[in-house]
Amino acid sequence: MLSPSEFTVGKVGTAMPLSLILPTSKYEETLLVGQLDELPTAVFLSGQHKSMFFKTEGNESWGGLIIPSVRIEIDETSFVDEYSSEAPMLSVTRTDTKLVVAARSERSFGQVQITLHEGLDSTGEAKAKFANWQIVLGKGQDKRVLWTAT
């Protein structure tokens, strides 16, 4: 459950990076807002557009419950082969000073890495990809899992 101070209701165009957007109708989908080219960018986590992304600025088409300042937790046992050419869609990768999620554009077949966190300690040239991760709110006994990628 969410307390009233933990969310707002609105359109994705108003959501800041690291906001989770939960649907409030059968026509909406679960979205996670990250960044691409320093602009807020949403990734579909569910529905027919799952793993697609779009820039959110001015977007009035998608909305729902906006939960800001969520945290990402990684299942450290869900490594994806480091030498595979592309990470599976919606997998996360810890690379250099960032944590990114693999998404795709509606207009292309390649992957785009949407930044979820930046300014982390550098991993240098090393990177690690993970298939399983979750979005949480709170810490310790107050932690709640809001969405899980498996």
mmCIF file of all heavy atoms in Angstrom, residues 115-136:
data_model
loop_
_atom_site.group_PDB
_atom_site.id
_atom_site.type_symbol
_atom_site.label_atom_id
_atom_site.label_comp_id
_atom_site.label_asym_id
_atom_site.label_seq_id
_atom_site.Cartn_x
_atom_site.Cartn_y
_atom_site.Cartn_z
ATOM 1 N N THR A 115 19.246 5.593 -19.118
ATOM 2 C CA THR A 115 19.951 5.741 -17.839
ATOM 3 C C THR A 115 18.951 5.817 -16.688
ATOM 4 O O THR A 115 18.026 6.626 -16.704
ATOM 5 C CB THR A 115 20.828 7.004 -17.846
ATOM 6 O OG1 THR A 115 21.765 6.900 -18.927
ATOM 7 C CG2 THR A 115 21.560 7.185 -16.532
ATOM 8 N N LEU A 116 19.188 4.961 -15.686
ATOM 9 C CA LEU A 116 18.379 4.988 -14.467
ATOM 10 C C LEU A 116 19.126 5.692 -13.340
ATOM 11 O O LEU A 116 18.539 6.435 -12.569
ATOM 12 C CB LEU A 116 18.000 3.564 -14.049
ATOM 13 C CG LEU A 116 17.174 2.774 -15.077
ATOM 14 C CD1 LEU A 116 16.929 1.368 -14.583
ATOM 15 C CD2 LEU A 116 15.872 3.489 -15.386
ATOM 16 N N HIS A 117 20.420 5.405 -13.226
ATOM 17 C CA HIS A 117 21.287 6.053 -12.233
ATOM 18 C C HIS A 117 22.554 6.490 -12.931
ATOM 19 O O HIS A 117 23.063 5.779 -13.798
ATOM 20 C CB HIS A 117 21.703 5.060 -11.126
ATOM 21 C CG HIS A 117 20.660 4.788 -10.116
ATOM 22 N ND1 HIS A 117 20.345 5.650 -9.101
ATOM 23 C CD2 HIS A 117 19.865 3.713 -9.940
ATOM 24 C CE1 HIS A 117 19.396 5.127 -8.355
ATOM 25 N NE2 HIS A 117 19.084 3.952 -8.854
ATOM 26 N N GLU A 118 23.094 7.616 -12.511
ATOM 27 C CA GLU A 118 24.413 8.026 -12.989
ATOM 28 C C GLU A 118 25.165 8.636 -11.824
ATOM 29 O O GLU A 118 24.598 8.926 -10.783
ATOM 30 C CB GLU A 118 24.328 8.973 -14.173
ATOM 31 C CG GLU A 118 23.525 10.217 -13.972
ATOM 32 C CD GLU A 118 23.351 10.980 -15.282
ATOM 33 O OE1 GLU A 118 24.114 10.752 -16.227
ATOM 34 O OE2 GLU A 118 22.450 11.805 -15.335
ATOM 35 N N GLY A 119 26.479 8.774 -12.000
ATOM 36 C CA GLY A 119 27.303 9.304 -10.920
ATOM 37 C C GLY A 119 27.702 8.241 -9.918
ATOM 38 O O GLY A 119 28.123 8.566 -8.807
ATOM 39 N N LEU A 120 27.586 6.972 -10.298
ATOM 40 C CA LEU A 120 28.008 5.873 -9.429
ATOM 41 C C LEU A 120 29.524 5.737 -9.510
ATOM 42 O O LEU A 120 30.165 6.289 -10.405
ATOM 43 C CB LEU A 120 27.337 4.569 -9.880
ATOM 44 C CG LEU A 120 25.806 4.572 -9.907
ATOM 45 C CD1 LEU A 120 25.289 3.315 -10.583
ATOM 46 C CD2 LEU A 120 25.250 4.692 -8.503
ATOM 47 N N ASP A 121 30.110 4.984 -8.600
ATOM 48 C CA ASP A 121 31.543 4.703 -8.683
ATOM 49 C C ASP A 121 31.824 4.007 -10.001
ATOM 50 O O ASP A 121 31.066 3.122 -10.421
ATOM 51 C CB ASP A 121 31.988 3.807 -7.529
ATOM 52 C CG ASP A 121 31.960 4.526 -6.179
ATOM 53 O OD1 ASP A 121 31.994 5.770 -6.172
ATOM 54 O OD2 ASP A 121 31.903 3.825 -5.157
ATOM 55 N N SER A 122 32.917 4.381 -10.645
ATOM 56 C CA SER A 122 33.251 3.838 -11.956
ATOM 57 C C SER A 122 33.619 2.357 -11.872
ATOM 58 O O SER A 122 34.314 1.937 -10.951
ATOM 59 C CB SER A 122 34.412 4.606 -12.577
ATOM 60 O OG SER A 122 34.761 4.031 -13.823
ATOM 61 N N THR A 123 33.149 1.603 -12.852
ATOM 62 C CA THR A 123 33.540 0.198 -12.988
ATOM 63 C C THR A 123 34.639 0.059 -14.026
ATOM 64 O O THR A 123 35.019 -1.062 -14.376
ATOM 65 C CB THR A 123 32.337 -0.677 -13.401
ATOM 66 O OG1 THR A 123 31.860 -0.230 -14.676
ATOM 67 C CG2 THR A 123 31.232 -0.623 -12.380
ATOM 68 N N GLY A 124 35.119 1.191 -14.550
ATOM 69 C CA GLY A 124 36.135 1.144 -15.600
ATOM 70 C C GLY A 124 35.552 0.512 -16.850
ATOM 71 O O GLY A 124 34.460 0.851 -17.275
ATOM 72 N N GLU A 125 36.273 -0.431 -17.417
ATOM 73 C CA GLU A 125 35.818 -1.105 -18.639
ATOM 74 C C GLU A 125 34.890 -2.276 -18.338
ATOM 75 O O GLU A 125 34.243 -2.798 -19.235
ATOM 76 C CB GLU A 125 37.028 -1.581 -19.435
ATOM 77 C CG GLU A 125 37.980 -0.457 -19.754
ATOM 78 C CD GLU A 125 38.203 -0.284 -21.227
ATOM 79 O OE1 GLU A 125 37.797 -1.150 -22.007
ATOM 80 O OE2 GLU A 125 38.793 0.740 -21.580
ATOM 81 N N ALA A 126 34.829 -2.691 -17.081
ATOM 82 C CA ALA A 126 34.001 -3.843 -16.707
ATOM 83 C C ALA A 126 32.533 -3.454 -16.675
ATOM 84 O O ALA A 126 32.172 -2.311 -16.394
ATOM 85 C CB ALA A 126 34.429 -4.372 -15.343
ATOM 86 N N LYS A 127 31.685 -4.421 -16.994
ATOM 87 C CA LYS A 127 30.243 -4.195 -16.877
ATOM 88 C C LYS A 127 29.570 -5.511 -16.524
ATOM 89 O O LYS A 127 30.130 -6.584 -16.731
ATOM 90 C CB LYS A 127 29.657 -3.593 -18.144
ATOM 91 C CG LYS A 127 29.806 -4.415 -19.392
ATOM 92 C CD LYS A 127 29.221 -3.640 -20.558
ATOM 93 C CE LYS A 127 29.589 -4.293 -21.871
ATOM 94 N NZ LYS A 127 29.049 -3.539 -23.000
ATOM 95 N N ALA A 128 28.376 -5.401 -15.982
ATOM 96 C CA ALA A 128 27.603 -6.589 -15.607
ATOM 97 C C ALA A 128 26.151 -6.367 -15.999
ATOM 98 O O ALA A 128 25.589 -5.304 -15.724
ATOM 99 C CB ALA A 128 27.723 -6.863 -14.116
ATOM 100 N N LYS A 129 25.563 -7.371 -16.658
ATOM 101 C CA LYS A 129 24.166 -7.310 -17.086
ATOM 102 C C LYS A 129 23.347 -8.254 -16.210
ATOM 103 O O LYS A 129 23.798 -9.345 -15.872
ATOM 104 C CB LYS A 129 24.024 -7.754 -18.539
ATOM 105 C CG LYS A 129 24.822 -6.939 -19.523
ATOM 106 C CD LYS A 129 24.720 -7.535 -20.915
ATOM 107 C CE LYS A 129 25.701 -6.879 -21.862
ATOM 108 N NZ LYS A 129 25.662 -7.469 -23.186
ATOM 109 N N PHE A 130 22.136 -7.844 -15.894
ATOM 110 C CA PHE A 130 21.266 -8.640 -15.035
ATOM 111 C C PHE A 130 19.864 -8.710 -15.639
ATOM 112 O O PHE A 130 19.322 -7.701 -16.070
ATOM 113 C CB PHE A 130 21.165 -8.013 -13.643
ATOM 114 C CG PHE A 130 22.489 -7.833 -12.975
ATOM 115 C CD1 PHE A 130 23.196 -6.646 -13.112
ATOM 116 C CD2 PHE A 130 23.040 -8.848 -12.210
ATOM 117 C CE1 PHE A 130 24.420 -6.464 -12.503
ATOM 118 C CE2 PHE A 130 24.270 -8.681 -11.592
ATOM 119 C CZ PHE A 130 24.973 -7.483 -11.742
ATOM 120 N N ALA A 131 19.282 -9.897 -15.619
ATOM 121 C CA ALA A 131 17.942 -10.084 -16.155
ATOM 122 C C ALA A 131 16.864 -9.771 -15.120
ATOM 123 O O ALA A 131 15.783 -9.303 -15.469
ATOM 124 C CB ALA A 131 17.773 -11.517 -16.659
ATOM 125 N N ASN A 132 17.144 -10.042 -13.854
ATOM 126 C CA ASN A 132 16.129 -9.882 -12.812
ATOM 127 C C ASN A 132 16.458 -8.689 -11.920
ATOM 128 O O ASN A 132 17.566 -8.569 -11.406
ATOM 129 C CB ASN A 132 16.029 -11.142 -11.956
ATOM 130 C CG ASN A 132 15.639 -12.352 -12.768
ATOM 131 O OD1 ASN A 132 15.054 -12.241 -13.839
ATOM 132 N ND2 ASN A 132 15.981 -13.520 -12.275
ATOM 133 N N TRP A 133 15.461 -7.830 -11.746
ATOM 134 C CA TRP A 133 15.606 -6.654 -10.913
ATOM 135 C C TRP A 133 14.230 -6.215 -10.465
ATOM 136 O O TRP A 133 13.219 -6.735 -10.948
ATOM 137 C CB TRP A 133 16.351 -5.536 -11.648
ATOM 138 C CG TRP A 133 15.777 -5.146 -12.984
ATOM 139 C CD1 TRP A 133 15.872 -5.832 -14.153
ATOM 140 C CD2 TRP A 133 14.999 -3.978 -13.276
ATOM 141 N NE1 TRP A 133 15.213 -5.162 -15.169
ATOM 142 C CE2 TRP A 133 14.677 -4.018 -14.655
ATOM 143 C CE3 TRP A 133 14.568 -2.898 -12.516
ATOM 144 C CZ2 TRP A 133 13.929 -3.022 -15.273
ATOM 145 C CZ3 TRP A 133 13.829 -1.909 -13.134
ATOM 146 C CH2 TRP A 133 13.530 -1.975 -14.499
ATOM 147 N N GLN A 134 14.187 -5.297 -9.522
ATOM 148 C CA GLN A 134 12.893 -4.835 -9.042
ATOM 149 C C GLN A 134 12.932 -3.364 -8.680
ATOM 150 O O GLN A 134 13.992 -2.787 -8.464
ATOM 151 C CB GLN A 134 12.424 -5.666 -7.849
ATOM 152 C CG GLN A 134 13.327 -5.627 -6.648
ATOM 153 C CD GLN A 134 12.913 -6.622 -5.587
ATOM 154 O OE1 GLN A 134 12.123 -7.531 -5.838
ATOM 155 N NE2 GLN A 134 13.425 -6.470 -4.383
ATOM 156 N N ILE A 135 11.745 -2.795 -8.647
ATOM 157 C CA ILE A 135 11.566 -1.403 -8.271
ATOM 158 C C ILE A 135 10.928 -1.401 -6.894
ATOM 159 O O ILE A 135 9.900 -2.054 -6.679
ATOM 160 C CB ILE A 135 10.669 -0.666 -9.289
ATOM 161 C CG1 ILE A 135 11.307 -0.712 -10.672
ATOM 162 C CG2 ILE A 135 10.405 0.762 -8.840
ATOM 163 C CD1 ILE A 135 10.409 -0.219 -11.783
ATOM 164 N N VAL A 136 11.561 -0.684 -5.966
ATOM 165 C CA VAL A 136 11.088 -0.674 -4.585
ATOM 166 C C VAL A 136 10.914 0.748 -4.096
ATOM 167 O O VAL A 136 11.459 1.701 -4.652
ATOM 168 C CB VAL A 136 12.051 -1.446 -3.646
ATOM 169 C CG1 VAL A 136 12.179 -2.894 -4.080
ATOM 170 C CG2 VAL A 136 13.400 -0.779 -3.569
#
